[in-house]
Amino acid sequence: MKVYTPTGLRDKIKLWALRAIFECDGVYDLVIRNDDVRELFRIPCDLEKKDAPKVSKMLKDELRRLEELNEAAKIGSNANLSANLELVKNTLGLSQTERDLLEFFAASKSIGVLKELMRDIKVDTFELSFFISKVLGARLNLVKSALKANSALLSCKIIKLDKNRYRPDFDDLI
């Protein structure tokens, strides 16, 4: 099975996925047991729980490589998506963090492998800002500000954040 990721977004999707996996300590539950995530990282399908340390090392090496690319600003994005996000950002007066959140939320709702991974992650609503700041590599105070009810991102109702549920699926939060 071939995992689809839009042109230009593959490394960014992988970076977000790896950050989420390690934040949740989910190498076994989120990688070895998930066909699409295994395919994304080219991990053999015949692995068991005892193989988690070997897979973890391989994924940490890939995370290090992607973090280096990200630091050097060499992780791209899809040109059409970036252009549309910039239009939305400028039209609604979003901050860069709000724009990045919108990109992440759109990707986690529409790109199969990321959607499945985020669906399997259980994040307390109280930990949501912390989790997202880790996944995006953004400053926590900026993410908290962007997720406030009166922020430009949430005020425009493009994203509906349901903080009334204690341990919802990530997919139910947005």
Side-chain angles (χ1 to χ4, degrees):
M1 173 172 58
K2 179 81 170 141
V3 174
Y4 170 76
T5 53
T7 305
L9 282 179
R10 187 169 188 85
D11 283 344
K12 187 177 276 191
I13 298 299
K14 289 170 83 173
L15 178 61
W16 289 340
L18 286 170
R19 287 174 174 169
I21 288 163
F22 285 113
E23 183 61 31
C24 295
D25 194 24
V27 171
Y28 177 69
D29 290 331
L30 299 174
V31 178
I32 294 177
R33 294 177 29 185
N34 185 313
D35 292 339
D36 286 344
V37 175
R38 276 198 328 267
E39 175 68 26
L40 179 65
F41 295 108
R42 293 177 169 46
I43 296 170
C45 62
D46 59 347
L47 298 176
E48 299 174 13
K49 192 168 188 161
K50 67 180 172 73
D51 298 311
K54 179 174 69 173
V55 172
S56 181
K57 183 190 178 324
M58 184 185 77
L59 293 176
K60 283 180 182 174
D61 291 343
E62 177 67 358
L63 178 59
R64 224 177 340 272
R65 181 187 77 79
L66 291 169
E67 291 287 8
E68 287 172 7
L69 285 175
N70 191 47
E71 288 292 319
K74 292 185 178 177
I75 287 192
S77 189
N78 180 282
N80 290 332
L81 176 61
S82 289
N84 288 331
L85 285 167
E86 285 304 312
L87 283 172
V88 170
K89 175 187 168 195
N90 294 334
T91 302
L92 299 175
L94 301 179
S95 68
Q96 184 61 39
T97 302
E98 289 170 319
R99 180 232 177 262
D100 294 346
L101 283 167
L102 184 58
E103 179 182 31
F104 173 70
F105 288 151
S108 68
K109 284 288 204 178
S110 61
I111 298 172
V113 66
L114 194 59
K115 182 177 183 173
E116 286 185 30
L117 181 64
M118 292 301 139
R119 183 195 63 219
D120 292 341
I121 291 174
K122 303 291 186 210
V123 178
D124 292 346
T125 53
F126 303 109
E127 297 172 352
L128 182 64
S129 295
F130 181 76
F131 175 76
I132 291 173
S133 74
K134 290 290 189 179
V135 171
L136 295 181
R139 290 184 24 214
L140 178 60
N141 63 327
L142 296 176
V143 172
K144 281 184 175 183
S145 182
L147 293 177
K148 285 185 178 178
N150 63 349
S151 70
L153 181 63
L154 295 182
S155 297
C156 70
K157 307 279 190 223
I158 290 178
I159 294 174
K160 180 183 174 214
L161 188 62
D162 183 3
K163 291 187 177 182
N164 295 325
R165 298 178 63 194
Y166 174 62
R167 271 188 85 74
D169 288 340
F170 184 84
D171 197 44
D172 294 335
L173 285 170
I174 54 175

